[in-house]
Amino acid sequence: MADLLIEIICEEIPARMQPRAMADLQKLILARLDDAGLTHGEAHGFVAPRHLALYVDDVADRQPDISEERRGPRADAPEKAIEGFMKSAGLTRDQLVEEDTPKGRFLFARIEKAGVDAASLLPSMVTGVLNEFPWPKSQRWGGTRFRWVRPLHRVNLLFGGAPIDGELDLGGAGGDAGGGAGLPFTAASRGHYFESPQDIDLVGLTSADDYVARLRAGHVMVDRTERRQAIIDGATGLAEKAGTMLRPNEALIDEICGLVEWPTALFGVIEERFMALPGEVLEASIRLHQKYLTTGSADGSLQPGFVVISNRLSDPQRDAVILAGNQRVLRARLADAEFFWQEDGRTELESQLPRLADLAFYEGLGSVADKVARLERLAGVIAPSVAGCDAGMAVRAARLAKADLVTGMVGEFPELQGIMGGYYARNAGEAAAVADAVAGHYRPQGPSDDLPGTPEGCVVSLADKIDSLVGFFGVGAKPTGSKDPFALRRAALGVIRIILEMRIRMPILPVLASAASAHGFAAPDPDLEPFIRERLRVSLRDAGLAHDIVAAAFGDGTGTGQDDILGLADRAAALSTFLGGDDGAGLVAGWRRASSILDAEEAKAGQGFDPVSDPQLFVEDAEAGLYAALTALPEPDTQLQSRGDILAVMQSLGGLRQPIDAFFDSVVVNHDDTSTRLNRLGLLAMVRQAMQRVADFSRLEG
């Protein structure tokens, strides 16, 4: 047994790719070790901006010897068959053994294969992984053909603390370790770019902790967890010392963690006059653009302090220079924001509308002003379906929703679109419902984002997303494969989330038709409604519903109510609940038996049986009992308003379980008398029809 270290050193890996790269390296190397029959102990992954490493404990130093016996063709088989077997086994005819078996005399090959030293297997194993590494984006550099996320500098490979010879074929000029076509493996890591630029000798490594300690001595915290905690501890300590507290910044901390090798926290202060700017403007300037951590009070409001994470050792004089430089940059950005805030405030939001005509929305879909006109119209169509929505306010919000796109602030900070519109609308005296709808209409922008906070905001958001879906599909700009440049899948999921979470009962086809009419299309693209339905299907499955239950609830997509997103979701949820109970499970068993008999008899007859049965022809009490239960069922109401109503209808089907069981226990369907037989088949067809009106039970599996 010996420990294995693989370390790759390259130029800075994008922060967002680092955790995934660490996991991929571990998964791929361990899979190759397993495939080679090399047992191993625990694996430790490490990643820093320029370092990607894997340390594996107790890797077997040799493959086990293999003794394999293969049975070939019969001893008297044609010569070609025997030659093929010898070729596959790598043996000659005199090395094969003939043996009698219960099925005759056969040829056998007995192969003894000695295991190979791990050290001789590792180089090809590592180069294979590097050549197939699944970076989301990669590049070539110089004259090489090899692809990596950033130019690759070194590959260090040690087994039992000893370097392993080998090289990575770059397919052209080499990296800094050589000028040839290959990059020879080394055993020297690199320290901090400024603080410890000299190499770090890895020979004689004894453990993963030893590796971390050697890198730490070179001022590289290669353990991502340790580095992240150092950022949190340093920033929190400084904030508390300044009498404030760190605001939640988990995503930003993750990003900063991927940017520094040796984090040092510094505390800066914002000039008080800038604190009059909207909080979102401050956040955008401080956090998004400068990557500084923000601070706040206990009530969550921003405080005029921020934390910069330097990538250097702490040094009072140098820290002061770094902090002064960062504060100067931030001051300039906030001064720009202050200027735009004041300038934009001199003009009412509505007066910006004419300038939207100069902004192209998309080729074939007119200008942003055209889109605004469509939004107003569509908001008026959708608003009556949303409980608590003031249609007039929604239409007004739709009119103003895009006006901030031509303001100076949004020009400088595009991520504030909508948000600034809300501020400007409120400052212009618009009603709160209008301002809030303008501010929130881009939401939700992802699965973790909130919905707009008001019914009017939800209406404008639906109108905006549906207008985009109909428009881009209408001009042929549909998502294909993994390509979705206009984020139409996200838009469809946003529509679905709003409808489900706001419980909006609204057939989607008339809304799509209205949007298409506003675009000047004869009808919405025929692929759009199935596209939305498929997003709903995926959404329900992600919520934990079984795929066959979703399929049963959806049916073939042609019946009444099949464009009612909320109705379909409620039907699937109710069906899942119903089938999870005793009545549901028992009823499905009866359904399968009835359906199986009908399918077989209809195949023989070459036609389907009508769901009709004559009580006068009943012979057994069980026939009359099943008929009575079927005719007592309520007619399903396509306008059911709640999941509970739908579940109640399904549970009424549960009353069929006992009559169906009794029918099959005492009735022979294929009676000698043709009239009786056909009457019983008609009764089973009634069972099928009653159940199919609720869901397509034929799509259930198991």
Side-chain angles (χ1 to χ4, degrees), residues 444-458:
Q445 298 190 44
S448 60
D449 193 19
D450 293 334
L451 300 189
T454 63
E456 292 79 10
C458 288

Side-chain angles (χ1 to χ4, degrees), residues 131-163:
N131 276 294
E132 299 169 5
F133 206 80
W135 291 110
K137 290 184 178 179
S138 60
Q139 61 179 258
R140 293 183 296 184
W141 58 95
T144 66
R145 293 193 298 276
F146 180 79
R147 300 189 70 91
W148 196 248
V149 63
R150 293 288 184 271
L152 186 60
H153 289 218
R154 293 182 189 176
V155 176
N156 293 318
L157 179 60
L158 295 97
F159 189 54

Side-chain angles (χ1 to χ4, degrees), residues 150-291:
R150 293 288 184 271
L152 186 60
H153 289 218
R154 293 182 189 176
V155 176
N156 293 318
L157 179 60
L158 295 97
F159 189 54
I164 300 288
D165 289 336
E167 69 173 25
L168 176 68
D169 183 5
L170 298 178
D176 67 346
L183 182 64
F185 295 164
T186 59
S189 186
R190 278 185 169 170
H192 190 281
Y193 193 83
F194 297 111
E195 306 293 354
S196 299
Q198 65 274 17
D199 288 350
I200 300 171
D201 187 9
L202 298 177
V203 175
L205 274 180
T206 57
S207 66
D209 289 342
D210 185 16
Y211 170 68
V212 171
R214 293 194 192 194
L215 269 289
R216 191 185 294 118
H219 300 109
V220 174
M221 289 189 195
V222 74
D223 185 334
R224 188 173 183 278
T225 303
E226 177 192 4
R227 198 167 64 248
R228 192 178 191 282
Q229 193 59 48
I231 293 171
I232 295 172
D233 291 345
T236 302
L238 286 179
E240 290 176 350
K241 188 176 178 182
T244 182
M245 56 195 298
L246 209 60
R247 283 165 65 91
N249 288 293
E250 295 301 319
L252 180 56
I253 290 172
D254 281 340
E255 184 175 1
I256 294 171
C257 185
L259 299 174
V260 297
E261 294 179 329
W262 193 268
T264 298
L266 307 173
F267 192 84
V269 177
I270 303 168
E271 290 178 41
E272 192 62 36
R273 67 185 176 99
F274 293 129
M275 297 306 293
L277 290 168
E280 293 89 343
V281 175
L282 291 170
E283 285 274 355
S285 302
I286 300 170
R287 195 167 65 175
L288 298 182
H289 290 262
Q290 299 304 122
K291 312 299 182 192

Side-chain angles (χ1 to χ4, degrees), residues 224-552:
R224 188 173 183 278
T225 303
E226 177 192 4
R227 198 167 64 248
R228 192 178 191 282
Q229 193 59 48
I231 293 171
I232 295 172
D233 291 345
T236 302
L238 286 179
E240 290 176 350
K241 188 176 178 182
T244 182
M245 56 195 298
L246 209 60
R247 283 165 65 91
N249 288 293
E250 295 301 319
L252 180 56
I253 290 172
D254 281 340
E255 184 175 1
I256 294 171
C257 185
L259 299 174
V260 297
E261 294 179 329
W262 193 268
T264 298
L266 307 173
F267 192 84
V269 177
I270 303 168
E271 290 178 41
E272 192 62 36
R273 67 185 176 99
F274 293 129
M275 297 306 293
L277 290 168
E280 293 89 343
V281 175
L282 291 170
E283 285 274 355
S285 302
I286 300 170
R287 195 167 65 175
L288 298 182
H289 290 262
Q290 299 304 122
K291 312 299 182 192
Y292 303 157
L293 300 170
T294 55
T295 62
S297 57
D299 64 3
S301 60
L302 273 170
Q303 294 295 300
F306 63 92
V307 178
V308 180
I309 303 299
S310 160
N311 187 26
R312 300 298 300 267
L313 297 182
S314 180
D315 176 274
Q317 285 189 327
R318 186 172 59 202
D319 290 350
V321 173
I322 292 173
L323 190 57
N326 280 279
Q327 289 190 138
R328 186 165 56 250
V329 172
L330 181 59
R331 186 183 304 115
R333 184 162 283 276
L334 291 177
D336 287 345
E338 183 183 48
F339 170 77
F340 291 128
W341 173 246
Q342 292 171 349
E343 286 300 304
D344 292 342
R346 300 182 198 281
T347 308
E348 287 201 359
L349 187 60
E350 186 164 14
S351 65
Q352 305 278 13
L353 291 176
R355 296 173 60 197
L356 296 180
D358 299 328
L359 289 182
F361 176 58
Y362 186 72
E363 185 176 356
L365 299 179
S367 66
V368 176
D370 296 326
K371 181 176 178 73
V372 167
R374 296 194 298 267
L375 291 188
E376 286 185 83
R377 176 175 166 180
L378 200 54
V381 172
I382 296 171
S385 300
V386 180
C389 176
D390 183 316
M393 294 288 183
V395 172
R396 177 66 178 166
R399 178 172 174 76
L400 298 176
K402 305 298 179 185
D404 66 353
L405 293 179
V406 291
T407 62
M409 186 71 86
V410 173
E412 181 70 10
F413 301 96
E415 63 275 13
L416 294 179
Q417 60 184 347
I419 295 170
M420 295 315 302
Y423 277 107
Y424 296 145
R426 192 169 287 103
N427 291 346
E430 297 288 344
V434 173
D436 291 344
V438 170
H441 83 279
Y442 286 104
R443 310 185 95 170
Q445 298 190 44
S448 60
D449 193 19
D450 293 334
L451 300 189
T454 63
E456 292 79 10
C458 288
V459 168
V460 181
S461 178
L462 284 172
D464 189 20
K465 291 171 173 58
I466 290 173
D467 174 79
S468 294
L469 285 163
V470 171
F472 284 113
F473 267 73
V475 296
K478 307 174 189 177
T480 55
S482 61
K483 295 181 180 177
D484 185 12
F486 306 109
L488 298 183
R489 292 190 180 94
R490 189 173 68 188
L493 288 171
V495 170
I496 290 167
R497 272 195 63 196
I498 292 173
I499 289 176
L500 296 187
E501 294 183 29
M502 293 292 290
R503 294 203 60 76
I504 301 171
R505 188 162 294 279
M506 177 180 70
I508 198 71
L509 284 176
V511 179
L512 298 182
S514 180
S517 173
H519 275 285
F521 303 148
D525 187 277
D527 291 339
L528 179 54
E529 195 267 342
F531 175 82
I532 296 173
R533 174 188 288 268
E534 186 56 28
R535 303 280 84 71
L536 174 61
R537 186 190 303 275
V538 173
S539 177
L540 294 176
R541 289 176 59 180
D542 289 346
L545 294 180
H547 71 94
D548 59 334
I549 289 179
V550 175

